[in-house]
Amino acid sequence: MRLANPTIAGFYPDPSVVRVGDDYYLACSTFEYLPGIPVFHSRDLVSWTRVGHVVGRPEQLAVGQVPTGGGAWAPTIRHHDGLFWVAVTDALGRGTLLFTAPDPAGPWSDGAVVEGVDGIDPDLAWDADGTCYLTYSALRLSGDNMGAHDGIEQVRIDPYAAKALEEPRSMWSGTGLMFPEAPHLYQRDGWWYLMIAEGGTERGHAVSIARGRRPDGPFEGAPANPILSARSTSRPVQNTGHGDLVSTPDGEWAMVLLGMRTLGMTRAFSPLGRETFATRVTWVDGWPVAEPVHLTEPAAPVSLTGSGLDGDWIAVRRLPADVADVRAGSLVLRGEGTGMDDPRPVFVGVRQRHHRMRFSAEIDAGAGTGGLSLRYDEAHHYDIEVGDGLVTARGRLSGLTQTWTAPVDTPRVTLWIETAPVAAAGFDALTSDTVRLGYDTPAGPVALATLDGRYLTAETAASFTGRVVGAYAVDGTVAADAVRYEGS
Ligand code: 6LW
């Protein structure tokens, strides 16, 4: 079995996969970004193409109101009765949702709320007589004991009515590590398997599994639990966990899961956030044995050009087409008097998916102010903008802002953001990467600011997402031409 890691680069966490015949479909979390919950297709688990998004209409989620980091958490994608199903939590938004579509490319349904399920990471499984089990992690996101964690729970549901048919029951909840979550139920060779993540999504992340003769338990944990973890290892892919199993047409097995490609001598920082990886699984004595996640050949250099608002582009709490449009090849953004500190910025971007990256565009700020931003969230972002005869570089870190300015005598300026990992030797290698914010002049490129990238990483921004790089407008109309993402 050949696998390519990262399987899907850039912040695509909490992957879930299903196989229908020879076709695999995979979905990931997207939090407060739209469009939400991308669906990828593959026939070999190696090359994946996005075929659509479950959430293409803002009303399907309540991301307009959720706090940063809320929104679409951890979908499960399954196929049953000729329909594709996605169960997902709209965290601090609509709650536990079921989406359906005959075609995984969409359009998907509006999303039905499953009342009475207070938790995250909902999984769907059907037994032979068509009973549907919804198994989830009882992290309480509402009510008086919000924030409490009551382990793994399960209810039988009517999936067409999105109704729970009984009170939740407690299930096997791991080996005692914190945050048992990401439950998935499987049937194989007369056993029901309940696989979960535990240990938290940070460096202690792990996958554990149990088996029993019934889908509603009881379950007995595997002797080898956790069956997969990178904790306390020097592996380049850390935080591995939140797995989903899938068999191949010829009976092999694989697990897709999240991981982080950490940087720095002590592997302390992860600029790209949690990405999708895959590893091979074999079965011994009725238990899965998962190989450690290995990085494969480095991703080929990528150049994304053009500014069509295709599926690569995302926006914050709004669809890209609601904040920008493409006119005669230019990406045109219409400012609303707010900048990147706003939780609803006029910003469209793409996920950073290479440690070495350059994002550039020719910005025409003749009728407004705007530029390029490397964003983690509204409190952690590095920007370079042009307006009112000035180029301004800005570092914004949770309450602290520093700016650098230089005069320009033309409103049309090529701006760029470059990131580069630090050399992995010596004490300056304790950080992750450097971020240069610059612009081109007739005399050559000028780096207006060079900042430490460690403050735009999953560990410091304490965010479930990852870096997103793109263009924004503060006020007036700003056009971006020759938009290029180059990564290696
Ligand atoms: C996801 C859960 C998790 O629902 O974080 O830490 C949540 N692990 O499995 C968002 O990724």
Side-chain angles (χ1 to χ4, degrees):
M1 171 185 288
R2 192 168 72 84
L3 297 168
N5 280 322
T7 300
I8 302 179
F11 96 81
Y12 288 104
D14 309 323
S16 172
V17 63
V18 66
R19 178 170 63 84
V20 182
D22 291 341
D23 295 300
Y24 300 95
Y25 296 97
L26 184 149
C28 295
S29 301
T30 42
F31 306 94
E32 72 269 20
Y33 285 97
L34 289 178
I37 313 176
V39 178
F40 293 91
H41 169 253
S42 176
R43 290 175 68 86
D44 59 7
L45 293 174
V46 172
S47 54
W48 291 85
T49 309
R50 184 193 312 93
V51 292
H53 289 87
V54 173
V55 176
R57 308 181 299 276
E59 61 276 7
Q60 289 172 283
L61 293 174
V63 291
Q65 290 79 42
V66 298
T68 294
W73 285 19
T76 294
I77 187 166
R78 295 293 183 253
H79 186 260
H80 181 78
D81 266 353
L83 272 181
F84 285 88
W85 299 77
V86 162
V88 71
T89 304
D90 183 9
L92 306 173
R94 296 181 62 199
T96 301
L97 300 174
L98 295 185
F99 292 98
T100 58
D103 179 344
W108 288 78
S109 61
D110 291 342
V113 178
V114 185
E115 301 298 348
V117 171
D118 182 9
I120 63 172
D121 301 2
D123 172 73
L124 290 175
W126 284 265
D127 67 14
D129 65 17
T131 304
C132 183
Y133 298 84
L134 191 148
T135 310
Y136 58 94
S137 170
L139 170 64
R140 305 309 184 192
L141 291 184
S142 60
D144 302 341
N145 62 344
M146 183 169 180
H149 203 302
D150 297 331
I152 303 296
E153 292 182 349
Q154 182 187 80
V155 283
R156 289 177 186 80
I157 65 166
D158 172 347
Y160 293 95
K163 275 189 74 58
L165 302 175
E166 59 187 345
E167 282 305 305
R169 85 183 119 268
S170 288
M171 306 288 280
W172 176 83
S173 295
T175 64
L177 301 181
M178 74 171 175
F179 291 150
E181 52 199 1
H184 288 305
L185 265 181
Y186 310 96
Q187 243 191 319
R188 180 182 179 276
D189 279 357
W191 288 103
W192 280 90
Y193 291 88
L194 171 57
M195 187 168 87
I196 70 167
E198 57 177 338
T201 200
E202 291 75 23
R203 297 290 186 266
H205 215 190
V207 177
S208 292
I209 196 162
R211 72 186 181 189
R213 293 299 182 184
R214 299 172 45 87
D216 54 354
F219 288 95
E220 170 217 4
N225 276 336
I227 59 168
L228 178 143
S229 177
R231 61 186 183 183
S232 310
T233 71
S234 59
R235 291 186 198 131
V237 182
Q238 292 284 320
N239 297 45
T240 48
H242 202 111
D244 198 5
L245 294 175
V246 69
S247 67
T248 68
D250 49 20
E252 291 193 288
W253 285 76
M255 180 194 298
V256 297
L257 71 163
L258 74 81
M260 294 226 275
R261 287 187 282 161
T262 55
L263 285 182
M265 196 165 62
T266 57
R267 290 173 177 65
F269 300 105
S270 317
L272 310 184
R274 300 172 303 164
E275 303 172 284
T276 285
F277 294 85
T279 196
R280 186 163 174 268
V281 169
T282 51
W283 292 84
V284 176
D285 299 335
W287 290 112
V289 177
E291 292 177 6
V293 175
H294 295 293
L295 274 184
T296 52
E297 69 282 353
V302 166
S303 272
L304 268 181
T305 55
S307 45
L309 288 175
D310 64 9
D312 255 346
W313 292 87
I314 53 179
V316 187
R317 295 190 174 88
R318 292 186 273 185
L319 286 167
D322 291 343
V323 289
D325 53 27
V326 179
R327 284 185 217 150
S330 288
L331 184 63
V332 178
L333 298 112
R334 300 173 296 279
E336 297 170 352
T338 58
M340 292 303 293
D341 291 353
D342 194 278
R344 287 168 52 90
V346 176
F347 168 79
V348 286
V350 293
R351 293 166 177 83
Q352 181 178 344
R353 30 215 246 229
H354 301 85
H355 285 135
R356 188 174 299 283
M357 183 278 296
R358 175 186 164 94
F359 188 84
S360 59
E362 217 172 280
I363 297 291
D364 181 343
T369 299
L372 306 181
S373 180
L374 186 64
R375 177 185 196 271
Y376 232 87
D377 56 29
E378 61 270 22
H380 303 84
H381 53 89
Y382 294 162
D383 318 329
I384 178 101
E385 79 183 30
V386 58
D388 299 332
L390 282 179
V391 174
T392 302
R394 177 182 305 106
R396 162 81 173 174
L397 294 174
S398 58
L400 299 174
T401 301
Q402 183 163 351
T403 58
W404 297 259
T405 58
V408 281
D409 52 13
T410 156
R412 200 175 174 78
V413 185
T414 293
L415 304 179
W416 43 265
I417 298 176
E418 285 181 353
T419 69
V422 294
F427 274 92
D428 68 352
L430 287 174
T431 187
S432 54
D433 57 347
T434 53
V435 180
R436 291 175 358 121
L437 307 171
Y439 63 107
D440 288 351
T441 72
V446 171
L448 196 47
T450 298
L451 304 179
D452 190 329
R454 82 176 74 187
Y455 304 109
L456 295 189
T457 60
E459 289 80 6
T460 50
S463 155
F464 287 127
T465 56
R467 285 187 188 166
V468 177
V469 64
Y472 68 92
V474 177
D475 52 34
T477 300
V478 175
D481 286 291
V483 179
R484 283 182 77 81
Y485 171 104
E486 296 157 276
S488 63

